[in-house]
Amino acid sequence: TQLLEQSPQFLSIQEGENLTVYCNSSSVFSSLQWYRQEPGEGPVLLVTVVTGGEVKKLKRLTFQFGDARKDSSLHITAAQPGDTGLYLCAGWGGSNYKLTFGKGTLLTVNP
Amino acid sequence: DAGITQSPRHKVTETGTPVTLRCHQTENHRYMYWYRQDPGHGLRLIHYSYGVKDTDKGEVSDGYSVSRSKTEDFLLTLESATSSQTSVYFCAITPFLGESEAFFGQGTRLTVV
């Protein structure tokens, strides 16, 4: 079973601060994805990274895929209260090519 | 929004009773998944389907069975519900494997008393 470890599990910051969330594994993934989930809703895809070393930017969010395709990070610049939510990393790989999720990082941005 | 509907949205049931959750999609996607989400555990795969009548187990399949008789419907059955199966259940669909976006339903909150 491929495991994805996310850190930190909880993060509470003030509006305007920067933050980074990490997603690590001992396994290689063909691609990694980041999802955001709001209370009472299903996760929604933010980004997919495919190539080792790849960096993608989505407004104030920067996603990076590790060179060895075993880890990824999500960096948010100048966080806003609207960024509050559960951030989940997920990887495609392993036998039968399933989508495996990390345990998530619960982010709270206080005004 | 992807056309994926879960029913019921909420259910309370007694220990030992069978329960069936339904996932219905209008996207004609080949792959369908059932996950459960619990605090501290994230999303864990229960079962998945790669076509009509083709299903396989995920990492937490004990006590659950699934069926897919039509492309659009994927049913999850708790054969004899236990309190440990109290959870939020999510259905997801993907058009293909790898790099594919997973579209999720809104979830079913199941409480076993």
Side-chain angles (χ1 to χ4, degrees), chain A residues 2 4 10 18 20 23 28 35 46 58 69 75 91 97:
Chain A
Q2 295 186 303
L4 283 167
F10 301 97
N18 302 330
T20 302
C23 177
V28 174
Y35 290 79
L46 294 173
L58 186 65
R69 306 208 323 274
H75 182 79
Y97 222 38

Side-chain angles (χ1 to χ4, degrees), chain A residues 38-80:
Chain A
E38 299 195 27
E41 302 291 331
V44 176
L45 181 68
L46 294 173
V47 77
T48 299
V49 285
V50 178
T51 306
E54 181 177 4
V55 177
K56 280 192 174 179
K57 293 191 175 183
L58 186 65
K59 296 184 180 178
R60 293 177 293 100
L61 279 60
T62 301
F63 305 86
Q64 187 163 6
F65 199 11
D67 291 341
R69 306 208 323 274
K70 293 182 178 181
D71 55 88
S72 181
S73 64
L74 158 61
H75 182 79
I76 301 179
T77 303
Q80 299 176 0

Side-chain angles (χ1 to χ4, degrees), chain B residues 55-99:
Chain B
T55 65
D56 205 349
K57 296 179 180 180
E59 59 182 303
V60 290
S61 59
D62 287 349
Y64 302 95
S65 62
V66 289
S67 66
R68 191 172 178 195
S69 58
K70 299 184 290 185
T71 299
E72 57 266 35
D73 289 325
F74 193 31
L75 304 180
L76 176 70
T77 297
L78 287 65
E79 294 141 8
S80 177
T82 68
S83 58
S84 65
Q85 293 176 312
T86 292
S87 186
V88 180
Y89 292 86
F90 284 98
C91 176
I93 60 175
T94 63
F96 49 88
L97 298 177
E99 303 176 31

